Amino acid sequence: MAGSKAWTAPKAAALYLSANRGYSQYNGRRYNNYQQHNDDPHLSSQQFSNQQHYDPQHNSNHQYHDEQQWEYRPDGPEDGGVRLLRPTLWALGFTAGTFYLCSSSFADHRERLRVQSGGILAAIGLRTQQYDEEERVWALMSDGHVRRLVGRAHAVSGEKHARAIRRIAHLPAWVPLELKRTGVMLADKWYRLSAGERCVYTIVGLNAVVFGMWQIPRLLPFMARNFLHDPRSGRSFTLLTSTFSHRELFHFAFNTIALVSFGTSVADIMGVEHFTAFYLSAGVVSSLVSHLLMPLRPALMLPSLGASGAVYSVVGATMMMFPHAKIALIFLPFLPFTISQAFPALLAYDLAGAVLGWRSFNHVAHLAGGLYGIAYMEWGAKQWARLTLYIEERRARKAPKDN
């Protein structure tokens, strides 16, 4: 099966992690003080810390520390209610715009490929294009600074790779040689990844930046306002930004492992533009569904963050693409399952959590993300193809007028 090599035990073990604590969309216990005292939203976190009533088994792990003594004040509707129409319209507008922009970029990419390989003299044109790029790469790698840094026989994957090495070689003389060689090594690794892998690692990099910002005490108020989705805050854009946000190291690490394990194969098959639109829309949709259903369970109306909803969508898409792929759990490596057996069981667990009101994870967001991934591969991918075709036909109709 194509892509089956991605489902070895070490990688597929991420499905076990999805059932582990680190895969939580909620940082629920961390912020449950706010829920317990929602009759006075202007209490500071110091006051919360003095009045908390945690379950004893969690107290030692979830106390507020000195760097967290900042005041959290939701500035949403005065009645403390939850807006439903505004975030829904924002999510629909963002999703539609994202798909249109990514589809337009994909159409541009396909047009460039046609120009390079199409026409009556297709073979000659393609050969000329290859030779032109080879000459440009040779000229870049023949630069004196480059040769002194990497020698004469350094292999590169293309013109972009060669340009990156040339830029490193032309860094100022005071930059240590070892640092330049480290930069070359990283450039080699980056440009030898597939396009899908580079897309996934870019998402991981963004998550890492946001995670690092959470660790800076002075930025905590800013992060809480802009990277934590509180249904009562009145902010709609946090439906998106919270999906790149992780406060805990384990949460960040487990979501990263799951995304890299499952996302690279999906991104390679979909293509960068398609996967980008799919991933961003999955994060927003899973956050929106959780937002809309929270008023039904006021006790669960807690601020949330994390990429779990989007990652669930990726796992759901993987199940639709590779229904018979074998996966293994970390604690049961000798007992393999197919993803079609394991993922529905995980969704059933989240359905039970959503119905019974379990507070450990944001089960609604997990369930919404997983179902979105399955539904998208069943119906949404066809709409992507239609949208791309529509954009290309529209451009073709406009082309004679432009000329």
Side-chain angles (χ1 to χ4, degrees):
M1 185 190 326
S4 60
K5 64 180 182 180
W7 310 113
T8 58
K11 281 195 171 185
L15 191 60
Y16 157 69
L17 299 176
S18 68
N20 204 303
R21 153 195 187 118
Y23 218 178
S24 170
Q25 179 92 354
Y26 270 111
N27 200 357
R29 302 189 193 96
R30 171 78 63 178
Y31 295 100
N32 65 1
N33 306 323
Y34 166 64
Q35 174 61 31
Q36 291 168 359
H37 301 278
N38 57 20
D39 56 332
D40 187 357
H42 297 289
L43 286 175
S44 68
S45 59
Q46 176 66 49
Q47 292 170 300
F48 286 167
S49 182
N50 293 334
Q51 301 178 41
Q52 54 191 312
H53 302 286
Y54 291 127
D55 184 349
Q57 64 179 326
H58 299 303
N59 273 352
S60 60
N61 295 327
H62 294 277
Q63 296 289 341
Y64 279 88
H65 302 291
D66 292 340
E67 71 271 20
Q68 294 170 297
Q69 305 307 322
W70 47 274
E71 192 169 1
Y72 179 67
R73 298 191 180 192
D75 53 357
E78 294 182 359
D79 59 1
V82 177
R83 290 192 176 99
L84 301 180
L85 181 59
R86 178 185 293 181
T88 301
L89 294 177
W90 188 93
L92 291 175
F94 173 83
T95 300
T98 299
F99 270 98
Y100 184 84
L101 291 175
C102 290
S103 183
S104 179
S105 177
F106 180 67
D108 291 339
H109 178 68
R110 293 215 300 192
E111 182 62 26
R112 287 193 297 270
L113 292 179
R114 287 196 197 98
V115 171
Q116 292 176 9
S117 61
I120 298 176
L121 302 177
I124 298 176
L126 180 59
R127 190 176 301 115
T128 301
Q129 181 71 23
Q130 284 179 333
Y131 287 162
D132 288 345
E133 182 174 0
E134 288 175 3
E135 290 179 359
R136 291 194 296 270
V137 170
W138 183 86
L140 290 167
M141 298 303 291
S142 297
D143 180 88
H145 291 81
V146 174
R147 286 190 173 183
R148 283 192 294 272
L149 180 62
V150 299
R152 295 175 176 268
H154 192 80
V156 294
S157 61
E159 186 176 352
K160 290 183 178 179
H161 188 179
R163 289 188 181 280
I165 292 177
R166 187 176 186 275
R167 284 193 291 269
I168 294 171
H170 280 265
L171 289 173
W174 53 264
V175 177
L177 180 62
E178 292 304 320
L179 185 59
K180 292 182 179 180
R181 287 177 176 169
T182 301
V184 171
M185 180 188 67
L186 294 176
D188 290 343
K189 290 184 177 295
W190 177 256
Y191 284 102
R192 286 167 186 165
L193 295 172
S194 67
E197 289 173 324
R198 289 199 294 268
C199 178
V200 169
Y201 283 121
T202 298
I203 296 173
V204 171
L206 293 174
N207 290 347
V209 170
V210 176
F211 171 75
M213 294 172 67
W214 269 112
Q215 311 312 310
I216 302 175
R218 289 179 178 272
L219 294 181
L220 287 176
F222 171 82
M223 299 302 293
R225 286 194 303 270
N226 296 286
F227 288 90
L228 182 70
H229 183 66
D230 187 337
R232 286 180 264 196
S233 70
R235 298 185 183 90
S236 299
F237 68 88
T238 54
L239 292 170
L240 172 66
T241 57
S242 63
T243 64
F244 293 91
S245 183
H246 301 83
R247 181 71 176 85
E248 304 276 352
L249 177 60
F250 287 139
H251 190 191
F252 168 71
F254 291 158
N255 274 350
T256 297
I257 293 172
L259 178 58
V260 172
S261 298
F262 295 101
T264 51
S265 296
V266 175
D268 279 330
I269 293 173
M270 283 187 170
V272 171
E273 298 86 355
H274 191 181
F275 180 80
T276 300
F278 166 71
Y279 183 86
L280 294 178
S281 63
V284 169
V285 168
S286 59
S287 295
L288 176 66
V289 172
S290 175
H291 177 103
L292 296 178
L293 295 183
M294 272 189 181
L296 301 179
R297 288 290 185 95
L300 300 180
M301 198 175 295
L302 301 170
S304 61
L305 74 169
S308 304
V311 172
Y312 260 66
S313 292
V314 172
V315 180
T318 302
M319 185 187 71
M320 299 297 288
M321 290 180 176
F322 309 105
H324 303 295
K326 296 289 186 179
I327 64 172
L329 306 184
I330 288 178
F331 57 90
L332 291 174
F334 53 85
L335 187 62
F337 302 89
T338 65
I339 192 171
S340 297
Q341 295 170 331
F343 190 59
L346 185 59
L347 293 181
Y349 166 79
D350 284 306
L351 177 60
V355 172
L356 299 177
W358 298 343
R359 293 164 61 95
S360 54
F361 307 120
N362 189 342
H363 296 285
V364 173
H366 290 182
L367 188 62
L371 294 179
Y372 178 84
I374 295 171
Y376 184 85
M377 295 308 300
E378 186 68 28
W379 298 289
K382 299 175 184 176
Q383 304 308 315
W384 167 267
R386 291 178 182 174
L387 177 59
T388 302
L389 181 62
Y390 165 76
I391 292 174
E392 292 177 338
E393 291 178 346
R394 184 179 177 184
R395 290 180 178 179
R397 289 195 299 268
K398 287 186 174 182
K401 297 180 182 178
D402 295 338
N403 295 332

